[in-house]
Structure formats: C-alpha cells, structure tokens
Amino acid sequence: NRVRLIKGWDDLFTALDDHTGGLVLMRSSPYYRAVREFQEDGNLWEDRLTKLRAAFDAWIDVQRRWVYLEGIFFGSADIKAQLPAEWSRFKSVDGEFIQLMRRITNRPYAMEALNIDNLQRTLERLANLMTVIQKALGTYLEKQRNDLSRFYFLGDDDLLEIIGNASEPGKVLPHLGKMFASIATCNSIPCEEEGVLTKFDAMISKDGEKVPFDAPIT
C-alpha cells in the first residue's frame, strides 16, 4: 500500500521483443540502407530499446528483492532489533526505491524511464545493496539453525515468521508439526502474569493424544 508496483512484466518484455524484431526487419529493407535519415532513426531506436531492456531486466529483479525484504523488515520489530545494520541499509534502499516508483507512477510510460538520470546505475546499486542484506540475513538464519537443529526442517520464510513473531505464540504453533513430526500443537491455558500472553501445559499429537509438561511453559 505504500507504493504502486509495476505489473505485467511479460507484456513489457513482449512489446520490447516485438519492437526489436520490427527494427531488424526494417534494417533489411533496401530503402533503409538508401536513406540516411532512416539509418539515424534506426540507430536511435536501437539504442533506446537496448537501454530499456537492460533497465527492465534490472528493475524486475530489484522490485522482487524489495518486496521480499520489505515484508521481512517492516513486518517484524524483532528482525529490525536483531539485524540493526541490515535494517539501516534497507531503509536507505527503501527510500530510493519508493522515490523511483512514485516518479514512474506519476508518468507510467515505458519511455519515461529513459528520462531518469543514471537509472541503470541506480538499479544495479540497489540490487547490490539488497544482495548484501540477503547474504547477512542468510548468515543470521544459519546461526539460528545451528543453535536449534530443528530449524533445519524449516524454509527461510517459515523460520523468519517464527523469529518475527516470537512474542505471539499463536503464529508460531502452526510450524511445530514441521519441526516435530509427532506434535500438532500445544494446549494453552489462561495466564494472569503481567507481560505473559499465555502458557502451555501440554503438547498434543496429530492423533489427539495429550502429553502434559512437567511444568507450564511461557
């Protein structure tokens, strides 16, 4: 909701391919070779289409990475706190990306992209920054898996959801079955302790068998 994203990438790339193909056909015409103005226009459009293609290739990658990382950092205060350097770096990326997308939203035309100064360099730099962030994120997740080997049964997205919702047990419980094959969920009991949302006094199997804990856990 913070910004409009580009959709219909396939249509954009198809249009570029069609125009490029048309340009190739035009070059094969004897009239093209005989008229200097045609050649100049052809070279101009070839340069434009080449730059657009390169920009769109980078843009689709940057947008995909931004969507993924935005969901992680803006969706979890815990992740921000545990990865402050990456959060700070992503805030910088986020600001530039939002500004770029708002500009193209105001004039949503493919050729408008060619009027943006240093667009290709900006997109490549944002992609490189997000690569660094994702590598740091991967290292962090690997450390979490080393600390608790059961986390190896989870994909990155599931593990991030657990870490990001550590204070909300209800969002963590659905992942128990992926880490412990015999456990479906845990039985919760009311808790009146300040700062404690709930307590669990038993684990429940997929067959409904209930096994009490020695003592409730929070």
Side-chain angles (χ1 to χ4, degrees):
N1 294 332
R2 298 170 58 224
V3 68
R4 295 178 63 184
L5 299 176
I6 297 176
K7 298 181 180 180
W9 286 104
D10 288 344
D11 293 336
L12 284 172
F13 284 116
T14 297
L16 277 174
D17 290 340
D18 289 345
H19 290 313
T20 301
L23 188 60
V24 171
L25 287 175
M26 185 176 70
R27 284 177 178 276
S28 65
S29 168
Y31 299 105
Y32 177 85
R33 294 189 293 271
V35 181
R36 180 178 178 182
E37 287 78 5
F38 284 174
Q39 295 179 35
E40 291 176 350
D41 285 346
N43 292 334
L44 175 63
W45 278 104
E46 181 181 26
D47 181 63
R48 287 173 175 172
L49 293 174
T50 299
K51 287 181 178 178
L52 271 178
R53 181 76 192 212
F56 287 164
D57 282 336
W59 207 323
I60 190 174
D61 178 58
V62 167
Q63 179 172 288
R64 177 183 56 81
R65 290 172 184 260
W66 177 85
V67 168
Y68 175 71
L69 291 173
E70 192 227 13
I72 292 172
F73 285 105
F74 281 88
S76 171
D78 290 340
I79 295 294
K80 294 178 189 177
Q82 295 180 52
L83 296 170
E86 282 64 44
W87 163 233
S88 177
R89 187 175 284 118
F90 181 70
K91 280 196 298 183
S92 174
V93 170
D94 179 72
E96 284 194 64
F97 181 76
I98 292 290
Q99 184 178 15
L100 172 62
M101 297 307 294
R102 285 177 177 168
R103 173 170 178 175
I104 207 67
T105 296
N106 290 333
R107 292 183 59 81
Y109 308 107
M111 297 305 298
E112 180 65 20
L114 296 178
N115 296 325
I116 300 176
D117 293 337
N118 299 316
L119 174 62
Q120 188 69 30
R121 188 179 305 172
T122 297
L123 290 170
E124 291 174 355
R125 182 169 51 79
L126 292 179
N128 290 335
L129 284 171
M130 285 190 282
T131 296
V132 172
I133 295 171
Q134 286 182 288
K135 285 183 179 179
L137 192 59
T139 300
Y140 171 73
L141 294 179
E142 186 63 23
K143 180 180 181 302
Q144 301 304 308
R145 292 185 171 106
N146 288 334
D147 292 342
L148 179 61
S149 59
R150 288 286 174 174
F151 282 158
Y152 280 104
F153 292 100
L154 299 173
D156 287 354
D157 291 342
D158 289 338
L159 182 51
L160 284 166
E161 186 173 359
I162 288 177
I163 296 170
N165 294 287
S167 60
E168 299 183 52
K171 294 183 178 180
V172 175
L173 287 178
H175 299 290
L176 281 179
K178 301 172 186 176
M179 294 184 288
F180 303 95
S182 300
I183 302 177
T185 186
C186 290
N187 187 67
S188 61
I189 57 176
C191 181
E192 297 181 356
E193 293 181 29
E194 185 176 354
V196 178
L197 295 176
T198 188
K199 285 187 177 182
F200 300 101
D201 65 349
M203 55 185 173
I204 302 173
S205 73
K206 295 178 180 178
D207 296 326
E209 181 183 4
K210 188 175 182 180
V211 181
F213 295 135
D214 291 336
I217 59 176
T218 58

